[in-house]
Amino acid sequence: MAKNAEAKAQQAEEPVEKLGEKAYQKELARLHGELVRLQEWVVANRKRVCILFEGRDGAGKGGTIKALTERVSPRVFRVFALPAPTEREKSQMYFQRYLPLLPAAGEIVVFDRSWYNRAGVERVMGFCTPQQANEFLRGVPLIERAIIDSGTILIKFWLEVSQKEQTRRLEGRINDPRKVWKLSPMDLESYSRWYDYSRARDEMFDMTDTPETPWFVVRSDDKKRGRLNVIQHILDAIPYEPLPRRKITLPERQKAQGYRDPDYAYRYVAEKF
């Protein structure tokens, strides 16, 4: 499995013709419409869906999740990006902080990094012991099997980015005031440990890529293609059916019945644009 993972990683190095903005927006609009139909089906049938996004820093997880969720209800698509654990959480069973976040009926939970932190950043950066990492890798297939046996649909994505593209993206964050918040000391340290993360990824795939809960690798050097491919994969993986919709017409507004706009000195926002 490690060889397969490395082969997929090497494929991400191959140049791909970038998708144009016009074509991207057209396909994204179509997929957003399907996501709304998926959302309606999940709610009506009280289904539970859990989607994990993992990958290297700069691989585009945040942008992909935004593209996935920007046109659906946050009450159905619930996104979690957990901060570092508290001292109390560190003393708990490792999975304990994640289990309460799993979806209830009619929900789709999206994890921007997940319990696989233990197999990646915690292991590489020394935030857990090798023994703790190995215990996690042995136990996680059992936990995930219990999740799917409960009726939850579980989808796991690994976003892979080439060294060259990761460098370009991280350098782009340094002087861009819109992106500088994304660049942490941890990102810089992980950037220098490319092959430590490769080894951790390979072992993670070896032990947790099972027929019941497989990993799906996303080539994300072209962000636009990667986002569309992820959304289409989700739609293909969940056996939803469009629900019938009643025709909607706007009702007539009520009559003013003597109402007049008040003579009030409103404080308007300055119109500088």
Side-chain angles (χ1 to χ4, degrees), residues 110-130:
V110 179
F111 282 102
D112 184 353
R113 295 200 183 278
S114 65
W115 45 84
Y116 282 99
N117 275 339
R118 175 135 294 183
V121 62
E122 290 190 15
R123 181 178 194 176
V124 173
M125 302 303 295
F127 297 148
C128 70
T129 67

Side-chain angles (χ1 to χ4, degrees), residues 20 32 50 62 71 139 151 158 174 192:
H32 279 161
C50 183
R71 295 292 184 175
W158 175 273
I174 295 175
S192 70

Side-chain angles (χ1 to χ4, degrees), residues 174-211:
I174 295 175
N175 297 314
D176 190 332
R178 302 167 300 171
K179 301 178 181 179
V180 68
W181 64 271
K182 294 183 177 183
L183 194 62
S184 68
M186 190 67 65
D187 294 329
L188 299 177
E189 183 68 23
S190 66
Y191 174 83
S192 70
R193 299 192 181 194
W194 175 274
Y195 292 105
D196 287 342
Y197 274 93
S198 293
R199 294 183 184 95
R201 176 205 61 200
D202 294 347
E203 185 170 0
M204 181 187 77
F205 275 32
D206 276 337
M207 299 186 70
T208 65
D209 184 16
T210 70

Side-chain angles (χ1 to χ4, degrees), residues 79-133:
V79 179
F80 294 106
L82 296 187
T86 64
E87 289 302 316
R88 181 177 184 276
E89 289 170 334
K90 290 178 183 178
S91 71
Q92 296 174 339
M93 182 185 74
Y94 179 72
F95 279 98
Q96 194 167 337
R97 73 191 298 236
Y98 293 99
L99 294 179
L101 305 179
L102 291 175
E107 291 181 347
I108 299 173
V109 165
V110 179
F111 282 102
D112 184 353
R113 295 200 183 278
S114 65
W115 45 84
Y116 282 99
N117 275 339
R118 175 135 294 183
V121 62
E122 290 190 15
R123 181 178 194 176
V124 173
M125 302 303 295
F127 297 148
C128 70
T129 67
Q131 180 181 357
Q132 288 173 322

Side-chain angles (χ1 to χ4, degrees), residues 9 12 56 59 158-162 194 201 217-221:
R56 298 184 186 273
W158 175 273
L159 274 63
E160 188 61 52
V161 65
S162 66
W194 175 274
R201 176 205 61 200
V217 177
V218 183
R219 295 175 58 185
S220 63
D221 271 21

Side-chain angles (χ1 to χ4, degrees), residues 11-258:
Q11 290 175 2
E13 300 275 0
E14 300 173 4
V16 178
E17 182 182 356
K18 294 295 180 74
L19 184 65
E21 181 67 17
K22 184 176 180 180
Y24 169 67
Q25 291 296 339
K26 180 180 179 180
E27 284 302 308
L28 187 61
R30 179 185 66 82
L31 292 174
H32 279 161
E34 287 302 315
L35 285 172
V36 171
R37 295 184 178 92
L38 169 64
Q39 172 181 267
E40 294 171 341
W41 178 83
V42 166
V43 172
N45 291 278
R46 297 179 60 77
K47 298 296 183 178
R48 300 192 303 270
V49 181
C50 183
I51 306 172
L52 311 185
F53 284 92
E54 297 286 345
R56 298 184 186 273
D57 291 316
K61 294 180 293 297
T64 301
I65 292 170
K66 181 179 179 181
L68 171 65
T69 60
E70 64 183 343
R71 295 292 184 175
V72 290
S73 170
R75 292 183 294 275
V76 178
F77 280 76
R78 301 169 62 228
V79 179
F80 294 106
L82 296 187
T86 64
E87 289 302 316
R88 181 177 184 276
E89 289 170 334
K90 290 178 183 178
S91 71
Q92 296 174 339
M93 182 185 74
Y94 179 72
F95 279 98
Q96 194 167 337
R97 73 191 298 236
Y98 293 99
L99 294 179
L101 305 179
L102 291 175
E107 291 181 347
I108 299 173
V109 165
V110 179
F111 282 102
D112 184 353
R113 295 200 183 278
S114 65
W115 45 84
Y116 282 99
N117 275 339
R118 175 135 294 183
V121 62
E122 290 190 15
R123 181 178 194 176
V124 173
M125 302 303 295
F127 297 148
C128 70
T129 67
Q131 180 181 357
Q132 288 173 322
N134 290 332
E135 289 174 353
F136 167 81
L137 290 172
R138 289 196 304 269
V140 69
L142 300 176
I143 297 292
E144 291 179 352
R145 183 55 191 261
I147 291 173
I148 62 173
D149 283 349
S150 74
T152 299
I153 298 171
L154 177 63
I155 304 174
K156 303 188 300 188
F157 290 113
W158 175 273
L159 274 63
E160 188 61 52
V161 65
S162 66
Q163 292 189 40
K164 180 179 179 181
E165 181 63 15
Q166 185 191 52
T167 298
R168 188 190 71 80
R169 292 178 185 177
L170 294 183
E171 286 181 342
R173 295 177 181 180
I174 295 175
N175 297 314
D176 190 332
R178 302 167 300 171
K179 301 178 181 179
V180 68
W181 64 271
K182 294 183 177 183
L183 194 62
S184 68
M186 190 67 65
D187 294 329
L188 299 177
E189 183 68 23
S190 66
Y191 174 83
S192 70
R193 299 192 181 194
W194 175 274
Y195 292 105
D196 287 342
Y197 274 93
S198 293
R199 294 183 184 95
R201 176 205 61 200
D202 294 347
E203 185 170 0
M204 181 187 77
F205 275 32
D206 276 337
M207 299 186 70
T208 65
D209 184 16
T210 70
E212 295 82 11
T213 58
W215 280 102
F216 293 96
V217 177
V218 183
R219 295 175 58 185
S220 63
D221 271 21
D222 185 334
K223 290 182 179 181
K224 295 184 178 68
R225 290 187 187 277
R227 293 167 186 170
L228 297 179
N229 288 330
V230 163
I231 297 173
Q232 186 63 66
H233 180 98
I234 292 170
L235 294 170
D236 292 340
I238 301 174
Y240 74 100
E241 296 179 355
L243 300 180
R245 293 174 179 167
R246 63 181 180 86
K247 185 178 180 180
I248 299 175
T249 56
L250 293 175
E252 292 185 7
R253 291 192 191 275
Q254 64 180 168
K255 303 299 182 181
Q257 296 179 342

